[in-house]
Amino acid sequence: MLRDHFRPQSFNGIDDIVIVGGGLAGLFCALKLSPRPVTILAAAPIGHGASSAWAQGGIAAAMSPGDTFEKHVADTLTAGAGIVDEKMTRMMVAEGPARIHDLLEYGVPFDRDLEGKLILSREAAHSERRIVRVKGDMAGKAIMEALITAVRNTPSIRVIEGYVVEELVREGRFISGVIARPDAGQSKKRVSFPARAVVLCSGGIGHLYAVTTNPWEACGQGLGMAARAGAIIADPEFVQFHPTAINIGKDPAPLATEALRGDGAHLVNSAGHRFMLDIHPDGELAPRDIVSRGVFAEVQAGRGAFLDCTKAVGKHFPDMFPTVYASCIGAGIDPVTQAIPAVPAVHYHMGGVLTDAEGRTSIDGLWAAGEVTSTGVHGANRLASNSLLEAVVFAARIAENIKGTLPTPQLTQWGDNAGENDDPVTVEDSPQLTVLRGLMSECVGVVRTRESLLRAIRQISALERDNARMRFTNILTTAKLIAVGALRRTESRGGHYRADCPSEQPEWRRRTYLTLAEANRVAAEVAETETA
């Protein structure tokens, strides 16, 4: 569907700025670019299919009287397991409070006390209460609703929904536009959108895995497109598993927010044993990768893992955490009196398209923000609630950079029937994607080994040989980059755990950078070793 009630006078042209994605980063960037004309291309109606809308915890910002920027930076560095870009993190943390006030001006109803002050909560690995929330676990939904209203009321922003971007167009060293498929990707026709500036805000990679908290749109297509266009990808091996997805067989898996453990909920196995105290002194509030492996071990051993909130939250559950409560009740579980079955699920990707402090990628004309990027602020393991903060901080910086780089808008024309028009069978429901998701969970999941990663790379290569669809090519490209990155990092650090290399190694205390050409070389070498 084309939302054409914005600036109908330019209906036959497209603005020189195209934003790919209708999540938090994309909408915030468009608002910050106002009154400059911008077009947002979204695969689904904005707010739908965006992981931002599903975020339960909130946004981290050092705003309480006892908190400081230094403390927030220190917590981020600790969680990131030694490879956080400290300079980028300091910048993000320092600009956080200003972006919170921006969101308030856009109408986000953050929780306040009776005096009108923001209520700040604590989450795992934070030393202070600094999480700005909405009704306990509804921050993402409320933020997106407020931004959608603001976008719809901003005449300079045109939203084109139901257009699945499949390809970045590169001319020389510049990205010169995108090619998208209308009708939610089902049209046999593709449309080209020329642009002087493309901002990639396409989201994460969670749906590459069989168990995830992410919507199906988060298949890594944006990362794959950027890699195919030649962009440098940073830290692809670092995938964060949320330790407490609700284990009720749903896809995506509902999430039991980190805030429950922040408020005192305990993890126990079927025998009632609080197993995390055997693993880490912080117990349930240890970094996510450690808690995820603890939960994974209990599930694999057949003992199961359960989040017991009966004492910490109890009868207040419906009011304090309505989203989690509704998910549990819908599955026949009353979290007021019963423990919630838990399982690790892919939640966030620390890796992504490499960007600088202004959101610029390694290709001129292409900026990126949100989960599709790797800015360096998350390191090997994202600190809870830093992701929404990163999205708004870098989206705002991109807007300022584009205004300075391209001060005068120039309109160009659309072009129909761009590139090849393959038969648009829905990739998202295909048997090949089901196979890939199972492969990624089994071989590139919570626990990895050299043998499992070699098997993943070989099978991804086999899927590539049998594939002729552009969207699935993007998805397979991302899966290959993650698997190759994990194979090359011969240690365990943060969200990347190798059972055959279980310790951190000093020589790997650094970020990694990978191009598709390099990943293809590794995949070819892996294939040769199998046939040798």
Side-chain angles (χ1 to χ4, degrees):
M1 177 175 59
L2 172 63
R3 300 278 187 177
D4 61 354
H5 57 281
F6 303 122
R7 293 181 297 101
Q9 69 274 15
S10 63
F11 183 80
N12 291 324
I14 185 168
D15 306 311
D16 64 341
I17 301 174
V18 169
I19 295 175
V20 180
L24 173 59
L27 300 187
F28 197 82
C29 186
L31 288 166
K32 280 294 185 179
L33 280 162
S34 174
R36 180 161 181 157
V38 175
T39 294
I40 297 174
L41 295 177
I46 53 173
H48 297 271
S51 297
S52 310
W54 297 20
Q56 293 182 2
I59 300 184
M63 301 177 71
S64 68
D67 203 1
T68 64
F69 293 161
E70 288 297 324
K71 289 181 180 179
H72 191 172
V73 170
D75 290 345
T76 302
L77 294 175
T78 300
I83 62 168
V84 171
D85 185 318
E86 185 171 348
K87 184 177 179 180
M88 294 280 269
T89 302
R90 289 185 180 280
M91 178 272 293
M92 178 185 74
V93 166
E95 295 180 12
R99 301 292 77 82
I100 296 296
H101 287 294
D102 285 340
L103 291 170
L104 287 167
E105 290 180 7
Y106 290 134
V108 178
F110 289 123
D111 293 343
R112 297 177 183 267
D113 61 20
L114 294 176
E115 296 179 351
K117 297 178 181 177
L118 291 172
I119 297 175
L120 300 170
S121 303
R122 186 185 173 203
E123 290 185 352
H126 285 273
S127 60
E128 298 287 343
R129 301 180 73 87
R130 64 169 69 99
I131 314 303
V132 186
R133 298 195 295 189
V134 179
K135 294 181 181 178
D137 61 4
M138 299 181 68
K141 182 175 184 292
I143 291 168
M144 289 298 293
E145 286 177 350
L147 292 189
I148 288 167
T149 298
V151 163
R152 298 242 186 255
N153 291 329
T154 303
S156 62
I157 302 173
R158 176 172 53 196
V159 179
I160 302 180
E161 297 165 317
Y163 274 61
V164 178
V165 177
E166 295 184 340
E167 198 169 357
L168 298 171
V169 180
R170 181 166 181 168
E171 296 181 9
R173 62 188 184 89
F174 291 92
I175 294 298
S176 59
V178 304
I179 298 174
R181 192 181 297 277
D183 301 330
Q186 293 306 294
S187 174
K188 291 189 176 182
K189 177 180 71 174
R190 301 206 303 166
V191 180
S192 66
F193 294 85
R196 289 198 298 160
V198 174
V199 185
L200 191 63
C201 303
S202 53
I205 57 91
H207 226 74
L208 281 177
Y209 288 77
V211 183
T212 179
T213 62
N214 292 180
W216 68 260
E217 290 86 352
C219 285
Q221 292 189 59
L223 193 159
M225 279 190 292
R228 287 178 50 239
I232 296 172
I233 307 302
D235 302 331
E237 63 269 32
F238 292 115
V239 178
Q240 186 176 76
F241 291 78
H242 197 293
T244 54
I246 304 174
N247 191 13
I248 52 177
K250 282 195 173 183
D251 183 21
L255 181 65
T257 175
E258 192 101 57
L260 286 162
R261 284 175 282 136
D263 284 353
H266 295 157
L267 280 164
V268 297
N269 60 23
S270 56
H273 177 60
R274 193 176 165 190
F275 57 86
M276 279 308 303
L277 292 178
D278 302 333
I279 298 171
H280 195 278
D282 290 339
E284 290 82 3
L285 294 181
R288 279 182 175 173
D289 61 301
I290 296 173
V291 182
S292 289
R293 288 196 293 276
V295 172
F296 181 77
E298 295 299 310
V299 172
Q300 289 293 103
R303 293 185 290 268
F306 304 85
L307 186 64
D308 188 348
C309 312
T310 56
K311 294 184 177 62
V313 183
K315 65 180 180 180
H316 302 292
F317 213 118
D319 296 323
M320 291 179 66
F321 300 98
T323 305
V324 181
Y325 183 77
S327 295
C328 291
I329 292 296
I333 301 165
D334 183 359
V336 174
T337 60
Q338 296 174 279
I340 303 169
V343 65
V346 173
H347 189 57
Y348 192 84
H349 190 206
M350 281 75 73
V353 182
L354 176 66
T355 68
D356 65 10
E358 312 307 326
R360 294 174 298 198
T361 72
S362 57
I363 311 175
D364 289 340
L366 180 65
W367 287 256
E371 192 175 349
V372 73
T373 70
S374 179
T375 62
V377 301
H378 301 308
N381 193 33
R382 175 181 67 102
L383 181 65
S385 291
N386 266 359
S387 53
L388 298 187
L389 173 64
E390 179 197 36
V392 292
V393 166
F394 284 90
R397 294 183 73 84
I398 287 171
E400 288 302 311
N401 188 250
I402 289 176
K403 289 176 181 177
T405 304
L406 306 172
T408 306
Q410 293 180 9
L411 302 186
T412 54
Q413 296 297 312
W414 295 5
D416 290 343
N417 298 320
E420 299 179 359
N421 294 321
D422 56 355
D423 183 17
V425 174
T426 303
V427 171
E428 293 74 18
D429 296 329
S430 70
Q432 291 87 352
L433 181 57
T434 300
V435 169
L436 178 65
R437 295 181 71 196
L439 175 68
M440 293 296 287
S441 286
E442 181 182 355
C443 296
V444 200
V446 176
V447 177
R448 306 159 175 181
T449 65
R450 173 180 168 79
E451 288 307 311
S452 76
L453 294 168
L454 290 173
R455 180 151 54 95
I457 292 168
R458 289 176 183 131
Q459 292 192 33
I460 290 168
S461 296
L463 287 168
E464 285 183 316
R465 287 193 295 272
D466 296 334
N467 172 60
R469 310 211 175 276
M470 184 68 72
R471 294 216 293 282
F472 197 44
T473 296
N474 292 330
I475 292 169
L476 287 168
T477 295
T478 299
K480 178 164 53 181
L481 289 161
I482 294 170
V484 169
L487 178 67
R488 297 205 313 182
R489 184 176 281 274
T490 53
E491 65 155 3
S492 292
R493 186 182 297 270
H496 167 70
Y497 184 79
R498 289 272 300 261
D500 52 343
C501 308
S503 303
E504 290 184 3
Q505 300 298 323
E507 65 270 23
W508 280 109
R509 190 182 173 94
R510 56 181 173 83
R511 300 180 68 195
T512 56
Y513 306 99
L514 187 61
T515 65
L516 180 55
E518 292 167 340
N520 286 336
R521 282 196 292 271
V522 172
E525 291 169 3
V526 169
E528 288 177 5
T529 60
E530 184 181 32
T531 57

